[in-house]
Structures are given as C-alpha cells and as structure tokens.
Amino acid sequence: MIVVNTDTLPGYEISHSLGIVQGNVVRAKHVGRDIAASFKNIVGGELKGYTELLTDARRDAMARMLAQATELGADAVINVRFSTSAITQGAAELYVYGTAVKLSTSTTRAAVEGTPPPISIS
Amino acid sequence: MLEIWAAYIFPLLILAVAFFSGNMIASRHEKSLSARQLILAHIRTTDLNRFFEPDHRIQAQLFTAEITLGIDHFRGFLGSLKNIFGGQIRSYQKTLDRARREALMQVIEQSHSAGYNAVANLRLEFVDISGKANMAKRANMVTIIAYGTAYTTHAPLNKETQTAISPLPAAIR
C-alpha cells in the first residue's frame, strides 16, 4: 500500500476514489511511566516514555486505517492527515484519516520518464 | 530547622538544579540540531501540497516522527510568573521551537536514509498528552508530530552553496 499525505502521486494517476478510511486510538499513559517522566521533567529534555507512547498510538491508528483500505481493495491512501484531541487529562486520542484510491500508471509520464514501479498491495 | 529546609531551601535547590541542567540539555540539543540541519541541507523541503520535478519511477512515501520534550521546572516556574502579567513567554517558545525542529529533522533524516532527496507537504501537529495545555494549568511538556511525503526530485540545488533553495528555518533568536 502506498501511503502519502499529498493529493497526487509521482508516476501514477488516480483513477477513482473509494472514500475516506480512518483509524483512531485513545491511549493513556500508565502510572509507572508517569512517575518516571515527572522526575525527568524536573530537568527538561526528551521524555522518551511519552514519545514511545505516541509512536505506538500512531502505528496502531495507521494499521487500522490501512486495514480498512485493504478491505476496500485500494492501491493507495492519499492526503493522509493526523489529528489529535485531549479527551481527559492523561489520555490522548490520535486520529488518522485519508482517502483510499485506485491507481493507474500514467501513460504519458511513463513514456517520458520511464516506467514507475508496479502497483502492489502489501 | 527542618521546616525551613522543607519550605524554602529544598524547592530552591530543585529550581537551581532545573535551571542549570535544563540550560545544558537545551543548548546541547540546539547544537546537535544545527549540526544535523547542516548535514542534510541538500534535502528539498516544502509544506506545499505538490511535487517539484519528481522522479516518476520512484514511489513516494509518508514518513512521520514524534517527539516529547519536557519543560524543566525552572522554565515552568518562570512561565507561570509571566502568566500573571502577560507577555511573551520565551522559555516556552524555545522549547516548542526545539520540539518542532527535532520532529522535522527526524522526518528529513528518515527520508534521507530511505534514499529520498525531497519532502513535500510537511505538516506539524501539536499533541496535548498531559491534557493541561488548554485547562489554564501549567503544561509541563510539549509533544509534536511531524509528517511529510518523501519523494525523489530532479530540481537543482543552489549552485554556490549546494544546499536546497528553501532551507529549514533557523532557531528563534
């Protein structure tokens, strides 16, 4: 699956849209991490625990979005956006959405620039 | 005696430790950011939703990066003092700036190591994990998500400097 946050894709033409696909995750920090972070927070610097929390959340949300796209038989998800909301103190929602599309290789461009890589769903 | 320690000296000690180590961590981070920015100055970056002279044979790809930076107790304390009178809160501004630069740099570094030489449609998003940022409380950390689409471009570099025509913004003075 090709995932980009732009409207277009180099080498391909978007043949038709399959609609919006989305994924969300609400994650809370656990108390152990919270305490460790509060000590680290005295001096500032990167709070690795929270960075990891967010990386995990992003991965999960993306996986859900991609699962939807695969179900629709999409070749790519374009115009991907991340959005977050603070629901309660100590939990963050990560919401990712994009448009699932079918692709076709652009014939005019291929003649000039060479053949783009084949469309593959992985 | 113990009360004096608990009430005045201990908090002051923490503030002093936070001040020195916070400064050290921040300046070290800023130095490393500037160095990394110089190394990857040839990566073409834009927040426009378009590709400049892309190579149509190479598939574009989304890259994301997250970073959480803590605001040390001293700066947080300064910030809450400033909050009474209003005005610019420099310490918060600088921490946010560092977090944004770091997240952007990570996206660029990932794109570079995957073999791309340009990133389009860069976006930055603020995440409020602590849930305090819009509750009139002291937010003690900032989290930024950066993402963008990496692609390969044929666009020329600046001839003299061999850097991208649109370099990354420098640090806020």
Side-chain angles (χ1 to χ4, degrees), chain B residues 80-99:
Chain B
S80 49
L81 279 187
K82 252 294 170 57
N83 231 341
I84 300 170
F85 306 106
Q88 259 196 67
I89 307 179
R90 272 276 167 82
S91 49
Y92 280 21
Q93 221 170 282
K94 279 192 171 170
T95 312
L96 271 166
D97 175 52
R98 272 197 299 129

Side-chain angles (χ1 to χ4, degrees), chain A residues 39-53:
Chain A
F39 279 119
K40 181 76 207 283
N41 218 352
I42 294 174
V43 295
E46 189 187 347
L47 306 173
K48 289 223 170 69
Y50 290 112
T51 305
E52 276 163 26
L53 176 89

